[in-house]
Amino acid sequence: MTATATRPQDATPSASGGKRAPKRERQGAAWVFLSPWVLGAALLTLLPMAVSLYLSFTDYDMFDAPRWIGFRNYTQMFTEDPRYWRSVITTLTYVVIAVPLQLLLALAVAIALKSVRRGKGFYRSAFYAPSLLGASMSIALVWRAIFNDGGSVDNLLSGMGIDIGGWINKPGWAILSVALLTIWQFGAPMVIFLAGLQQIPAELYEAAAVDGASWWRQFRSITIPMLSPVLFFNLVLQMIQAFQVFTPAFAVSAGRGGPADSTLVYTLYLYDRGFTASHMGYASAMAWALLLAIGAVTAVLFRTSRAWVFYANDNNEGAR
């Protein structure tokens, strides 16, 4: 008859021959370190989202108790509010203009910086600086002065014989001035593009040059496919940020979305309904509609990425 030695199941030997802490103790330590993030997410994100979802089904003016009205805010938003749909169209126009041009400029500057030999750090910092400054209200106010009547842009174009006037006072040009402020903040995607370009093996370009491929052929057949995951990441990130644009439109239009609602982007109209008109329940419904719309557009981008995003470990079969 033999005796079988036993040991606690939770204790495991370490590489040095000793015993690690029991599994439950290790999990407890992990939760202790995670607790600040968990508490922050619960109190500052999940709880406000739950309250916002509840308020979206109520009539709430921030002074009286919320009154449950069901889907009334949503039906009014989609069927009875023409300014809501104007804000949607304005936002889509802004996204279509700002995001592609910003990414194109960021990629062009990243390609140029890749070949720079001296002062690369200085140029990176100089081109990245607008991303740090452009989101501030002070820069947005300067931007408004530049594109106002008698501003720098007006004077420059007038000197060239192009008499447009102040862009922010023209319904057809105001949203373009807002988009240009976002395009100017191309530093963050530029840095990401530059990091992706540096990961492309130089041997691919050398082999293509030996075969007589032109610069454009190398760019189309090597740079874009190898950079497609980075391009996809920047596209998703900048698209989400563009749908939430607020500060430039608020500053350019002095918070009114004018002229003729040409700068009334979605978040500006949400702000107007919630904090100016005190229809916080309606604003909450708008916020949830925006969240669902961004989620839907992001899902479409991920779905379509299978056709054009290339990963090196996918055997040329596209993204999975």
Side-chain angles (χ1 to χ4, degrees):
M1 183 175 181
T2 59
T4 302
T6 60
R7 63 180 181 183
Q9 294 181 358
D10 289 341
T12 56
S14 64
S16 60
K19 291 184 178 181
R20 294 181 180 177
K23 184 177 181 180
R24 293 180 179 177
E25 292 185 8
R26 297 199 305 272
Q27 291 178 344
W31 280 109
V32 169
F33 286 107
L34 286 173
S35 59
W37 182 89
V38 173
L39 290 175
L43 298 178
L44 301 179
T45 302
L46 297 179
L47 181 59
M49 287 181 65
V51 174
S52 174
L53 181 61
Y54 166 73
L55 292 178
S56 70
F57 296 101
T58 67
D59 180 11
Y60 179 51
D61 59 4
M62 296 190 296
F63 301 101
D64 300 320
R67 182 172 59 88
W68 183 268
I69 58 174
F71 288 93
R72 175 60 183 168
N73 287 326
Y74 292 94
T75 56
Q76 179 182 353
M77 182 170 56
F78 293 129
T79 63
E80 303 175 14
D81 189 354
R83 291 196 77 198
Y84 172 81
W85 289 110
R86 283 200 294 271
S87 72
V88 171
I89 294 173
T90 301
T91 303
L92 291 176
T93 303
Y94 168 83
V95 172
V96 170
I97 295 174
V99 174
L101 292 180
Q102 184 191 50
L103 294 182
L104 285 174
L105 182 59
L107 179 58
V109 174
I111 293 174
L113 287 181
K114 184 186 177 184
S115 59
V116 172
R117 300 301 179 185
R118 294 183 178 180
K120 184 177 293 187
F122 168 77
Y123 288 115
R124 288 180 183 177
S125 301
F127 284 116
Y128 186 77
S131 293
L132 300 177
L133 302 175
S136 66
M137 179 60 74
S138 57
I139 295 297
L141 291 175
V142 172
W143 206 261
R144 178 184 178 184
I146 291 175
F147 285 92
N148 207 342
D149 289 326
S152 301
V153 174
D154 184 19
N155 293 333
L156 177 63
L157 293 179
S158 297
M160 300 171 60
I162 304 175
D163 189 11
I164 297 178
W167 289 23
I168 65 173
N169 298 318
K170 302 291 188 298
W173 293 87
I175 191 62
L176 182 58
S177 66
V178 176
L180 286 175
L181 179 54
T182 298
I183 296 169
W184 179 63
Q185 303 172 47
F186 63 89
M190 178 208 68
V191 171
I192 298 174
F193 276 135
L194 186 58
L197 288 170
Q198 293 174 343
Q199 299 302 314
I200 301 177
E203 293 80 3
L204 296 178
Y205 294 104
E206 295 171 358
V210 170
D211 290 339
S214 63
W215 177 88
W216 173 249
R217 180 67 178 181
Q218 293 180 31
F219 176 77
R220 186 167 60 89
S221 301
I222 298 176
T223 304
I224 292 299
M226 297 297 292
L227 203 62
S228 57
V230 178
L231 178 60
F232 175 66
F233 175 80
N234 273 334
L235 176 61
V236 172
L237 198 63
Q238 299 307 315
M239 184 274 301
I240 293 174
Q241 293 180 359
F243 271 107
Q244 302 176 74
V245 63
F246 175 79
T247 302
F250 182 89
V252 166
S253 66
R256 295 188 296 269
D261 287 345
S262 60
T263 58
L264 186 68
V265 294
Y266 195 96
T267 52
L268 182 56
Y269 187 49
L270 188 154
Y271 172 86
D272 176 77
R273 292 294 86 196
F275 294 96
T276 303
S278 297
H279 294 164
M280 188 56 67
Y282 190 86
S284 298
M286 288 186 61
W288 276 94
L290 177 62
L291 175 64
L292 294 177
I294 292 176
V297 174
T298 304
V300 170
L301 289 177
F302 271 92
R303 184 67 178 178
T304 57
S305 67
R306 299 183 179 185
W308 60 276
V309 178
F310 170 83
Y311 292 102
N313 59 352
D314 281 342
N315 297 322
N316 298 334
E317 294 180 359
R320 296 295 183 187

Coordinates of all heavy atoms in Angstrom, one line a residue, residues 88 132 192 213 244 274:
V88 N -27.2 66.7 -39.4 CA -26.7 65.4 -39.8 C -26.0 65.6 -41.2 O -24.9 65.2 -41.4 CB -27.8 64.4 -40.0 CG1 -27.3 63.1 -40.7 CG2 -28.4 64.0 -38.6
L132 N -1.5 69.4 -31.1 CA -1.6 69.8 -29.7 C -2.3 71.1 -29.5 O -3.0 71.3 -28.5 CB -0.2 69.9 -29.1 CG 0.6 68.6 -29.2 CD1 2.0 68.9 -28.6 CD2 0.0 67.5 -28.4
I192 N 1.9 58.4 -37.0 CA 1.5 57.0 -37.1 C 1.9 56.5 -38.5 O 2.4 55.3 -38.7 CB 0.0 56.7 -36.8 CG1 -0.3 57.2 -35.4 CG2 -0.4 55.3 -37.1 CD1 -1.8 57.1 -35.1
A213 N 10.5 49.5 -61.8 CA 9.2 50.1 -61.4 C 9.4 51.5 -61.1 O 10.4 52.0 -60.5 CB 8.7 49.3 -60.1
Q244 N -17.5 63.8 -34.0 CA -17.7 64.5 -32.7 C -17.2 65.9 -32.7 O -17.0 66.5 -31.6 CB -17.0 63.7 -31.6 CG -17.5 62.2 -31.5 CD -16.8 61.4 -30.4 OE1 -16.9 61.6 -29.2 NE2 -15.9 60.6 -30.9
G274 N -29.5 70.8 -25.5 CA -29.3 70.4 -24.1 C -29.1 71.6 -23.1 O -29.7 71.7 -22.1

